[in-house]
Amino acid sequence: MSKKIKILLIEDNPADVKLFDYSLREALNTEYDLQMAKDLSEGLELLQKQRFTIIILDLSLPDSFGLETFTSIQQASSDTPIIVLTGMEDDSVGMDAVKFGAQDFLIKGKIKSKTLKRSINYSIERHKLLTELSIKTRKLEERTLELLAEKHKLSEAQKLAHIGSWELEIKTEQFMLSDEFRNIYGLTDDSRIASFDSFLSHIHNADRDLVSDTLRNSIKNLLPLSLIYRIIRPDGVIRTLHLLGEVQADNFGIAMKIAGTSQDVTERFHEEELDKLALAATKSYNSVVILNPEGKIEWVNEGFTRLSGYELDEVKNTSGEILQKGKKESIITQGSYCSRVVKEKTPVSYEVLNYDKQGIGYWTITTLTPVLNKHEEVEHIIAIDSDITIRRQMEEELMQANKIAEHSLRKGNKALTELMIAKKQLEESMKVKEQFLANMSHEIRTPMNAIIGFTNLLLKTPIDGDQHQYVNAIKTSGENLLVIINDILDFSKIQSGKVTLEQIELNFSTLLPPIVEVMKGKAAEKNIRFLTSIDERIPDQVLGDPVRLNQILLNLIGNAIKFTDHGEVKVALELVGEKADAVEVLFSVTDTGIGIESSKLSSIFEGFTQATNETTRKYGGTGLGLSIVKQLVELQGGRVHVKSAPGKGSSFIFVLEFKRCNKKLNPELESAHEDNLANPLYEGLRILLVEDNTLNQVLAKKVLTDWKWNVDIAETGVSAVQKIRDNDFDLVLMDIQLPEMDGYEATRQIRKYTAEPKTNIPIIAMTAHAINGEAEKCLRAGMNDYVSKPFDPKDLYHKVVNVLRQSTENKTILKQPYKMQPTATKNTDLGYLTELSRGSKEFILQMISLFLEQTPIALASLEEAAKNKDWAMVGRVAHKMKPSLAFMGIKNLKDLIAALEEEAKQGTNPDGMKEKILTIRDVCNKAILELEAEKSAFV
Amino acid sequence: MKILVVDDDPLTLTAISHCLTNDDTEVVTAGNGFDAIKVAQDISPDLIICDILMPDMSGLGLLCLLKQFYFDKVPVIMMSSLDKADMILASLGLGAEDFFSKPIDFGKLSARVKNCIG
């Protein structure tokens, strides 16, 4: 561009033109280029062809006038500055023109070159400036529009993403929120600025503190901020928000502003929770359904689909009504279960009938479990269904089966009841039979006792030869009768299986002599020789049942003598077998009697049969003897053989096995002597005889007084107890069969309800029952021993002595038979225990209590062991009892227990052990009573 | 100080327990060998007093177990009413610290116990 200013002058007056030209020259020198036009159209023409730096325009032209002129030129050259020229009177037009955009106006005639120069330069400059300004302005406007557009886009974006932005001015605590923020918050007021407090007020109670604290912390420590919290919108809806923010600090590190975004993440949050649950549930085989707290299905697993046939989208957002096939009741019930779960926050289970997509019914047991969030609110409900269709089917079938079973059971029960009634009846009849047996035994033996007893007494009185003969006859008859009666009773017993064998010491050297004595006499009467032979290799003492062996031998020998008129009867014992722990002995009874026909050899062993019909007439007897012999031998494991021929005599043989017995002889038995009968040591003994039968009373009294004993009589159990209470006796002879109160009961009463020393008074039972078990019954009732009726005086004597000797108080009795124990002595002595206690009453009580607990158990096991003959156990229990006894100061049992222990080790003297056990039991029971009294005194 | 007493007789246990319990000694009891081992593992006693004659597991058996497997550093005192020389020798030979014969002399009991634990 040339430096030269290109000027266009539009002026019609030539004089003015010349003047102007002259002024211009002066003003600008040669730095201009002047073009002239004399009217508007010429000017416009030139303007079309060239660009000018400035236009100087006369407003009054021949083809235009005033402002019109100006505007035309302006239009034609919008970016060229224009100076207007006016006449002196037209200056207001000039001003108008400037208003319209002219740069300046000059009044013709008053134009000086200085003015012109200035005006031109000014106009050009001004124009330049204005142009620049308008460009700038336009640019600015464009920018503003852009910005607005961006802002709008951002707002739209926020809306879409549900992210709002916010700013907190720290000093003023003023909050600035974007639209979307307000949207999220549900704010309806137009105010854009909220205070920090009002911001907080929208936050859920539980989260408020967290948000406030975190914000303050961020501000203080210039930390970025990320929070998830809940708000409660003004409409009450709770939403979960995620807030992000960063702190802006000044140069001094002090926070000025904190700003960031806030996003509503409620759905996503919910979704995430749902996803976690869903993941777990997918793996489950069972049908798992996730419900929202309102009971609407949000998600189901494969198991559900498998079970129900329905896919998720078929049931989503429903309450699962489709499974109920529209049954209103069950739909309502299920709904109420859901409400209950939400309300009580506990699981609920119930059984329900569902229908699958095919319409087939299936039973499930449905469990609804609430899922709580960290604020203990129910977020979801999980429903797990287990198919119990099969189970229910089975239940049905089971019920059916049960019904059938019950029916059969009832029938069976009926049959069983009938059976039981029959059994009971049988048992009762058996009891009756037993009772009868026992009674018979007693009834028969009692008068027998009298007959034989008195007969014996009679024999001791001075009688002449004839009388002697008669009395002997009576005696023999009596004895025979007794034998027969015993046979019958025995037979009945054996028949009813009521016989048990003993395994006690059997001493051959004491067994046989009495038999021999008896039988010798009988044989002598018939002039028959009676021989015995005992193999010396047979051990003296073995274990067996002497009574039964006696019976067998007596029977066989008796028979032999009976059926032999002349010749001999031989009894032989031979050792035929030896084992480590046993021996086998062969018994034979051989006679030279009438013999037995071979055809009858077997039948003679049957009950009630004799060899011939004549036998009964001629020889008498019941015919039971051999039958009993056979049974008894077989009971002991042997067999009876008979060798016989008519006229050639008979030989009865049997073999029995006996276990070896190593015990020494009972020293007391050894010292059994006739001489003791008059032993002065025992004179003056006070005996209470309890017997209701007058004859027996007289008999017994005689025997006892012969021994220089004092006898008092009681006729019933009641009076016996009374007499014992009122008087002092050393021993009681107690018949069992008594009216009102029997011997057992009387004994029990004495043991239980009398005081020392009477409660321990020795009691010997007199029993007519030879039934086994009788002995035990006596012992159990508290008796010390027993004799059978009719009693053998010697036997009675020995037993009395024994019992007295073993009774703990007896030492004084034997020395001073009349004196009673001066003071009642205690069995227990707590002195030792008191010493140990060092003043602690609790200790003493504890020890007493332990003793009271333990001792009855120990006693019971002691007696049980003795009953079962488990001597090893007896020894152990006895040993174990020692400490307890020692602690309680029960000194009087010390030696006894030690002795029992020792005997138990050896396993011999079962009777002795049994007696010791009885004594131990008595003393311990007394100790227990004493200690119980002590204990209650303490408490 | 913790003492474990093993005996199948409750009266003996009570008496020994009473005799030895004081301000700085605690007595724990067991009625048989099996319980004794369990209790010992729980409380780690400083001394064990043990009866020989017991059902299920004898005192000597228990002594062996204790010495070989569990508590060989803990002193064990055996007691028995079987006061025979070979019983005493057996106990001491198996590692017992001392031997009391029964009935126990309670007067001397606490003194001897003190000896053992020191």
Side-chain angles (χ1 to χ4, degrees):
Chain A
M1 269 232 199
S2 73
K3 262 197 197 167
K4 281 202 175 170
I5 304 171
K6 284 174 110 173
I7 304 173
L8 172 63
L9 173 68
I10 308 176
E11 170 63 71
D12 64 321
N13 191 328
D16 285 328
V17 170
K18 262 210 175 148
L19 191 66
F20 196 77
D21 189 29
Y22 178 70
S23 301
L24 268 177
R25 241 186 283 145
E26 274 210 0
L28 300 174
N29 282 342
T30 46
E31 289 169 18
Y32 71 95
D33 204 23
L34 180 65
Q35 298 271 344
M36 284 178 290
K38 46 187 179 334
D39 59 32
L40 184 67
S41 52
E42 214 179 298
L44 289 171
E45 237 184 86
L46 280 171
L47 278 172
Q48 274 182 347
K49 289 183 198 161
Q50 300 175 45
R51 287 185 60 82
F52 292 92
T53 319
I54 188 162
I55 302 169
I56 299 176
L57 172 68
D58 181 13
L59 281 183
S60 57
L61 294 170
D63 53 356
S64 174
F65 190 77
L67 278 170
E68 251 178 61
T69 322
F70 172 72
T71 50
S72 313
I73 296 294
Q74 194 188 42
Q75 269 176 6
S77 61
S78 52
D79 61 348
T80 313
I82 305 171
I83 296 176
V84 298
L85 298 173
T86 64
M88 272 202 290
E89 338 55 54
D90 297 328
D91 57 353
S92 61
V93 180
M95 280 200 283
D96 284 336
V98 168
K99 273 192 208 148
F100 267 81
Q103 301 302 329
D104 202 358
F105 78 93
L106 294 168
I107 302 173
K108 279 195 286 198
K110 289 214 164 162
I111 300 174
K112 292 193 176 100
S113 47
K114 222 196 249 174
T115 323
L116 191 61
K117 181 179 177 176
R118 190 199 49 83
S119 177
I120 289 171
N121 282 331
Y122 166 72
S123 296
I124 294 172
E125 274 312 310
R126 188 158 175 262
H127 180 83
K128 231 202 266 176
L129 279 171
L130 280 174
T131 313
E132 274 177 26
L133 206 68
S134 84
I135 291 173
K136 274 202 177 122
T137 310
R138 202 176 34 248
K139 277 203 178 129
L140 217 65
E141 268 173 15
E142 274 170 21
R143 186 84 192 108
T144 309
L145 276 170
E146 259 171 47
L147 282 172
L148 270 172
E150 265 181 38
K151 180 159 185 261
H152 186 74
K153 261 195 229 158
L154 189 68
S155 185
E156 283 298 307
Q158 280 195 5
K159 230 202 233 157
L160 279 171
H162 298 296
I163 299 181
S165 50
W166 58 276
E167 233 178 63
L168 169 64
E169 193 79 33
I170 291 172
K171 239 189 279 177
T172 61
E173 288 205 351
Q174 293 292 56
F175 236 82
M176 308 243 281
L177 315 164
S178 74
D179 282 341
E180 185 51 26
F181 193 101
R182 287 182 338 143
N183 221 5
I184 290 173
Y185 267 62
L187 302 174
T188 49
D189 53 57
D190 279 298
S191 162
R192 277 221 157 81
I193 303 172
S195 68
F196 185 55
D197 282 329
S198 75
F199 164 71
L200 286 179
S201 67
H202 291 285
I203 300 181
H204 193 291
N205 277 335
D207 302 338
R208 197 173 296 146
D209 287 336
L210 175 70
V211 175
S212 169
D213 290 342
T214 315
L215 264 170
R216 289 191 203 282
N217 188 40
S218 278
I219 293 168
K220 184 162 156 214
N221 298 312
L222 307 179
L223 292 168
L225 171 68
S226 171
L227 275 171
I228 295 185
Y229 61 91
R230 291 165 300 167
I231 56 165
I232 303 180
R233 304 212 304 205
D235 57 12
V237 174
I238 301 179
R239 307 294 290 177
T240 308
L241 308 186
H242 183 202
L243 189 88
L244 288 169
E246 285 207 8
V247 186
Q248 294 174 18
D250 63 11
N251 292 341
F252 297 102
I254 298 179
M256 297 188 306
K257 190 156 47 162
I258 178 167
T261 57
S262 177
Q263 183 181 16
D264 185 324
V265 292
T266 316
E267 268 75 39
R268 199 186 62 197
F269 214 61
H270 196 71
E271 286 287 315
E272 274 170 6
E273 295 294 304
L274 197 62
D275 281 339
K276 275 188 224 153
L277 288 171
L279 184 63
T282 315
K283 306 229 162 93
S284 166
Y285 181 82
N286 282 324
S287 152
V288 180
V289 175
I290 302 181
L291 311 158
N292 71 7
E294 280 81 52
K296 295 265 186 287
I297 298 178
E298 289 187 0
W299 183 89
V300 302
N301 77 342
E302 274 175 29
F304 173 85
T305 310
R306 202 184 318 114
L307 199 59
S308 70
Y310 292 109
E311 298 281 341
L312 172 61
D313 30 4
E314 289 173 281
V315 295
K316 195 166 183 185
N317 281 325
T318 69
S319 295
E321 302 94 10
I322 198 169
L323 292 170
Q324 295 309 306
K325 242 209 212 167
K327 281 206 268 194
K328 285 230 178 77
E329 270 170 40
S330 38
I331 294 174
I332 293 173
T333 318
Q334 295 217 61
S336 74
Y337 282 128
C338 279
S339 323
R340 177 137 62 108
V341 169
V342 171
K343 191 161 148 216
E344 296 176 14
K345 299 188 183 145
T346 53
V348 150
S349 273
Y350 56 92
E351 290 184 17
V352 65
L353 175 62
N354 309 285
Y355 295 93
D356 67 11
K357 199 161 180 187
Q358 260 110 30
I360 301 173
Y362 63 97
W363 281 90
T364 60
I365 187 162
T366 298
T367 310
L368 301 176
T369 313
V371 177
L372 306 175
N373 63 15
K374 66 179 189 299
H375 302 283
E376 300 279 313
E377 288 153 356
V378 178
E379 285 238 341
H380 300 279
I381 300 175
I382 300 188
I384 302 182
D385 286 352
S386 293
D387 188 344
I388 53 168
T389 315
I390 295 179
R391 192 199 82 186
R392 279 196 83 112
Q393 254 169 29
M394 287 179 72
E395 272 171 16
E396 281 291 323
E397 284 169 20
L398 203 68
M399 269 204 291
Q400 285 300 323
N402 263 350
K403 278 211 192 97
I404 298 171
E406 238 168 74
H407 184 71
S408 336
L409 196 71
R410 240 176 278 134
K411 267 196 167 154
N413 265 345
K414 232 171 120 195
L416 194 70
T417 321
E418 282 164 19
L419 258 174
M420 294 204 62
I421 293 172
K423 178 172 178 238
K424 240 201 180 149
Q425 284 173 344
L426 188 68
E427 276 174 4
E428 275 174 23
S429 73
M430 287 213 67
K431 249 192 243 155
V432 168
K433 205 165 148 192
E434 269 177 52
Q435 194 61 41
F436 176 74
L437 213 64
N439 283 347
M440 273 297 106
S441 195
H442 172 70
E443 293 303 316
I444 291 170
R445 288 209 173 105
T446 306
M448 283 315 308
N449 191 21
I451 293 172
I452 295 170
F454 280 113
T455 317
N456 279 331
L457 285 178
L458 200 56
L459 284 170
K460 286 210 193 132
T461 62
I463 46 176
D464 67 34
D466 276 347
Q467 287 169 324
H468 210 268
Q469 216 179 358
Y470 301 149
V471 174
N472 262 336
I474 297 171
K475 182 176 168 185
T476 317
S477 301
E479 284 167 356
N480 281 346
L481 191 58
L482 200 61
V483 167
I484 292 168
I485 290 164
N486 281 339
D487 274 0
I488 296 174
L489 290 170
D490 255 352
F491 183 74
S492 312
K493 249 188 286 163
I494 295 175
Q495 285 293 71
S496 49
K498 285 254 152 235
V499 169
T500 53
L501 295 172
E502 296 266 17
Q503 277 276 317
I504 57 174
E505 302 112 51
L506 197 158
N507 192 322
F508 289 111
S509 48
T510 50
L511 180 81
L512 298 173
I515 301 174
V516 170
E517 274 305 308
V518 172
M519 292 300 151
K520 235 194 213 161
K522 286 203 160 70
E525 282 167 26
K526 286 178 96 173
N527 263 328
I528 308 166
R529 277 192 308 284
F530 184 75
L531 306 163
T532 57
S533 127
I534 302 176
D535 188 337
E536 53 191 25
R537 293 172 303 160
I538 299 175
D540 252 356
Q541 200 151 5
V542 294
L543 290 177
D545 190 335
V547 171
R548 296 299 174 189
L549 188 58
N550 237 354
Q551 211 172 352
I552 296 167
L553 289 172
L554 282 170
N555 240 299
L556 289 174
I557 298 170
N559 269 355
I561 295 177
K562 193 152 100 172
F563 291 108
T564 307
D565 297 320
H566 50 260
E568 65 178 26
V569 169
K570 185 164 171 210
V571 180
L573 272 70
E574 240 184 275
L575 183 75
V576 290
E578 270 197 276
K579 288 198 240 177
D581 59 342
V583 291
E584 282 178 328
V585 178
L586 181 141
F587 297 78
S588 60
V589 178
T590 317
D591 65 54
T592 55
I594 59 169
I596 308 162
E597 250 184 61
S598 50
S599 56
K600 303 282 176 142
L601 276 180
S602 51
S603 62
I604 51 169
F605 288 107
E606 281 160 37
F608 301 111
T609 323
Q610 291 180 306
T612 67
N613 288 329
E614 264 197 57
T615 320
T616 325
R617 271 189 295 113
K618 199 171 174 203
Y619 296 101
T622 52
L624 285 176
L626 282 178
S627 157
I628 293 175
V629 163
K630 176 169 180 267
Q631 293 192 48
L632 284 176
V633 168
E634 282 172 5
L635 259 174
Q636 294 181 64
R639 305 224 51 197
V640 187
H641 305 276
V642 58
K643 254 198 310 216
S644 183
K648 300 256 177 74
S650 325
S651 182
F652 286 81
I653 301 169
F654 61 95
V655 177
L656 291 178
E657 192 184 278
F658 299 97
K659 288 218 161 46
R660 290 182 193 270
C661 170
N662 300 320
K663 202 202 156 260
K664 298 169 287 225
L665 290 174
N666 192 333
E668 286 176 19
L669 281 175
E670 276 185 318
S671 64
H673 251 304
E674 299 257 346
D675 302 329
N676 273 355
L677 279 172
N679 193 333
L681 205 62
Y682 301 127
E683 273 174 31
L685 235 42
R686 294 196 64 182
I687 311 281
L688 176 65
L689 172 70
V690 189
E691 168 67 67
D692 64 321
N693 181 288
T694 324
L695 289 177
N696 285 337
Q697 278 175 21
V698 170
L699 184 59
K701 192 163 178 186
K702 181 71 169 78
V703 170
L704 298 171
T705 45
D706 270 352
W707 292 332
K708 305 236 175 63
W709 293 353
N710 296 312
V711 181
D712 201 349
I713 295 183
E715 296 204 334
T716 67
V718 175
S719 66
V721 178
Q722 197 58 50
K723 286 211 173 201
I724 286 177
R725 283 221 182 96
D726 300 339
N727 305 285
D728 299 320
F729 294 99
D730 302 311
L731 183 125
V732 180
L733 270 178
M734 177 90 75
D735 187 21
I736 303 291
Q737 273 73 33
L738 298 167
E740 285 173 20
M741 187 193 286
D742 71 18
Y744 301 124
E745 188 54 34
T747 307
R748 276 190 279 260
Q749 296 265 335
I750 295 168
R751 294 288 181 235
K752 222 170 163 195
Y753 296 120
T754 54
E756 277 287 343
K758 296 186 186 184
T759 121
N760 267 342
I761 188 167
I763 301 179
I764 294 182
M766 297 192 292
T767 162
H769 300 176
I771 299 177
N772 246 321
E774 195 75 4
E776 255 117 62
K777 227 173 153 186
C778 291
L779 291 177
R780 245 184 293 141
M783 293 159 162
N784 299 70
D785 209 337
Y786 63 94
V787 291
S788 55
K789 290 206 300 195
F791 61 78
D792 174 14
K794 268 190 235 154
D795 182 39
L796 177 64
Y797 189 88
H798 288 312
K799 290 200 163 140
V800 167
V801 166
N802 243 1
V803 161
L804 286 176
R805 211 180 271 164
Q806 291 196 353
S807 163
T808 50
E809 325 273 348
N810 67 11
K811 296 203 174 87
T812 13
I813 292 179
L814 288 175
K815 287 184 201 141
Q816 296 153 325
Y818 289 97
K819 265 211 183 155
M820 211 191 65
Q821 287 296 311
T823 44
T825 47
K826 280 174 78 164
N827 288 292
T828 59
D829 177 1
L830 293 179
Y832 178 54
L833 204 63
T834 316
E835 218 188 289
L836 277 184
S837 73
R838 289 179 293 156
S840 161
K841 276 203 183 145
E842 296 83 52
F843 173 70
I844 298 181
L845 259 172
Q846 208 184 346
M847 295 291 268
I848 292 179
S849 300
L850 282 167
F851 180 86
L852 291 172
E853 254 178 64
Q854 286 202 121
T855 308
I857 301 172
L859 288 174
S861 66
L862 199 60
E863 286 180 277
E864 181 73 27
K867 190 158 141 208
N868 297 332
K869 301 200 172 95
D870 185 354
W871 307 121
M873 176 63 126
V874 167
R876 281 199 293 273
V877 178
H879 182 82
K880 271 296 158 188
M881 285 179 78
K882 285 204 274 203
S884 316
L885 300 172
F887 278 121
M888 295 297 136
I890 305 178
K891 301 181 191 107
N892 50 13
L893 282 184
K894 187 170 169 202
D895 293 328
L896 201 69
I897 282 256
L900 179 63
E901 223 190 308
E902 192 57 40
E903 281 180 7
K905 238 189 271 186
Q906 313 273 2
T908 54
N909 191 14
D911 281 333
M913 284 196 273
K914 279 189 185 148
E915 294 201 49
K916 289 192 181 64
I917 290 171
L918 281 176
T919 315
I920 292 168
R921 185 201 61 193
D922 285 337
V923 175
C924 283
N925 282 333
K926 293 210 192 104
I928 287 173
L929 285 169
E930 282 171 34
L931 289 169
E932 274 174 354
E934 293 272 6
K935 189 173 165 196
S936 33
F938 255 111
V939 169
Chain B
M1 196 73 67
K2 278 176 274 191
I3 302 180
L4 168 62
V5 185
V6 190
D7 192 323
D8 61 327
D9 176 34
L11 277 122
T12 308
L13 284 177
T14 311
I16 298 179
S17 184
H18 182 77
C19 176
L20 295 177
T21 303
N22 59 38
D23 286 334
D24 40 28
T25 308
E26 189 199 320
V27 176
V28 182
T29 62
N32 64 63
F34 298 104
D35 287 346
I37 291 179
K38 267 190 243 156
V39 171
Q41 285 172 324
D42 276 340
I43 66 159
S44 292
D46 303 292
L47 171 72
I48 302 177
I49 301 178
C50 183
D51 186 28
I52 291 187
L53 197 65
M54 296 192 291
D56 297 333
M57 192 198 286
S58 99
L60 291 176
L62 178 61
L63 176 61
C64 286
L65 277 174
L66 291 171
K67 286 296 163 192
Q68 281 188 22
F69 297 109
Y70 295 104
F71 295 98
D72 58 339
K73 298 278 166 33
V74 179
V76 183
I77 300 179
M78 304 302 291
M79 45 184 191
S80 186
S81 48
L82 310 162
D83 183 9
K84 292 201 269 203
D86 48 12
M87 202 55 75
I88 303 175
L89 280 173
S91 307
L92 296 176
L94 284 169
E97 197 70 31
D98 200 347
F99 186 96
F100 292 164
S101 54
K102 284 191 184 178
I104 300 173
D105 183 343
F106 285 98
K108 303 205 182 122
L109 178 66
S110 45
R112 285 174 80 173
V113 163
K114 262 209 198 81
N115 256 356
C116 275
I117 328 183

